[in-house]
Structures are given as C-alpha cells and as structure tokens.
Amino acid sequence: MHHYRDLIKLFNQCFEKSENTQLVKGESEPIYLPANEHCDYHQIVFANGFFASGLHEIAHWCIAGKQRRLLEDYGYWYCPDGRNKQQQAEFEQVELKPQAIEWAFSLAANLPFQVSTDNLNGEQPDRAAFQSNVFQQLNEYQRNGFPPRAQIMLNALAAFYQVDLTANMCASSLSSVQRRIA
C-alpha cells in the first residue's frame, strides 16, 4: 500500500535537516514555497495527498539548483492546460527530466508509472513519443547517475518498499509501459 504519509516521512527523514525542506500534503495545486518570514523551512506542496503527485514534485525539487530553490515554484512560469503544439513541446522539454526521475521513483516504490502530458483541453500530444523521450532520459540517468538528491530518495524508497532497484530498473521496458497507454 502506498500512503502519502509514508512518502512525507521518508522525504522528511532524508532532507528536513540537511536541506531545511519538508514535503507537505496540499490541496488541488502543487507548489514549491521557499522559506520566508511566515515559515522557516522550504515546502514542497503536492496535490491532494496523491502519492504520484508527491513523487513528481520531489523530482522537480531534485533537479532544481540552489538559487532556483530560493524562488517560489523555482521561478518557473507554468503554461496551463490548453497549450498549442509549440507550447506543449516546450512543456514536454521542461518535463522530460523530472518525469524520468519520477519514473525511477515509481520503480523504487514498486508503483506503476504513467507520463503526464497535462494538456486535456489543448492539442492532443503524442503520448507515445513523449513516453519514449522520458524513457531515454531515464536510461541516461541510469548510465550516468541520478542527481545526488534523487539518488538519496531512490535509495530511501527502495529500502522502505523492499525493492531491488537494479532489478526493477532492468526489468522496466518501454514496450511494457506503452501497452498501458494504448
């Protein structure tokens, strides 16, 4: 069973002290909030207690640099649902690395993963092509190493869920995931 409270506990054990950052269950919209005069720690707020949302938001945090982690939502502007083809391509380019890390987190937690093109009201993207690109990025991380905070979280998830991460990563194949999309 994957419960968001376990994810919060794991993340906070790994990073609360060293990075002054906590994972927090939020309401409908995820957001990253740096420490300020109202809160003395950084917050990764994920949507509605959804486990996958927590994994996704942690993945964004894992690749954000030190200066970006001082800015609300890392200083990025989010183009909402309803994107045209060019906007969607830009969205997918930005989402490539975090979704590859999220995929690895899902494998470490023994949880199914699906890419998110997040454009229900816009031009329909090519999910299979995006999935393939995310998979290629995942393989790149496997070959060259994950960002350090992502590796710490991967190890924590794999230990908690008693997953042989190497075996799970090797067993993951694009074709098996693409069958779930179809």
Side-chain angles (χ1 to χ4, degrees):
M1 180 73 168
H2 295 86
H3 199 280
Y4 76 86
R5 287 187 184 100
D6 294 329
L7 185 59
I8 289 172
K9 182 179 175 184
L10 283 173
F11 180 88
N12 292 350
Q13 285 173 342
C14 291
F15 301 110
E16 184 174 11
K17 289 183 180 147
S18 65
E19 301 288 339
N20 191 35
T21 304
Q22 293 183 26
L23 183 63
V24 178
K25 176 191 171 281
E27 298 304 319
S28 61
E29 291 298 321
I31 189 167
Y32 173 77
L33 300 170
N36 59 38
E37 65 276 359
H38 304 292
C39 184
D40 61 354
Y41 57 89
H42 310 296
Q43 299 175 69
I44 302 169
V45 181
F46 66 103
N48 298 311
F50 295 136
F51 196 91
S53 174
L55 294 180
H56 183 77
E57 297 311 313
I58 293 168
H60 274 287
W61 178 81
C62 285
I63 61 173
K66 192 171 203 147
Q67 292 304 310
R68 287 237 180 242
R69 292 192 317 270
L70 298 175
L71 305 171
E72 185 174 311
D73 257 353
Y74 314 108
Y76 290 116
W77 176 77
Y78 177 73
C79 185
D81 189 352
R83 294 180 290 275
N84 64 33
K85 193 172 187 166
Q86 180 180 340
Q87 292 168 326
Q88 183 64 23
E90 291 169 5
F91 169 84
E92 290 177 10
Q93 189 61 39
V94 170
E95 283 290 312
L96 197 61
K97 288 182 178 182
Q99 289 201 33
I101 292 172
E102 179 188 354
W103 193 337
F105 289 166
S106 296
L107 290 170
N110 205 22
L111 186 72
F113 170 77
Q114 291 184 30
V115 295
S116 174
T117 53
D118 198 22
N119 200 28
L120 299 174
N121 297 316
E123 290 186 36
Q124 288 306 304
D126 184 345
R127 283 180 55 86
F130 181 54
Q131 178 103 16
S132 178
N133 292 337
V134 173
F135 186 73
Q136 288 174 18
Q137 181 62 54
L138 173 62
N139 286 332
E140 174 100 6
Y141 280 135
Q142 288 176 287
R143 281 190 304 276
N144 299 318
F146 287 89
R149 288 172 300 186
Q151 189 63 60
I152 291 168
M153 194 66 199
L154 277 168
N155 294 342
L157 287 163
F160 185 82
Y161 289 102
Q162 301 177 342
V163 168
D164 180 342
L165 192 53
T166 304
N168 248 21
M169 291 275 193
C170 291
S172 174
S173 74
L174 184 58
S175 60
S176 68
V177 176
Q178 284 178 327
R179 282 193 297 270
R180 279 188 255 152
I181 292 176

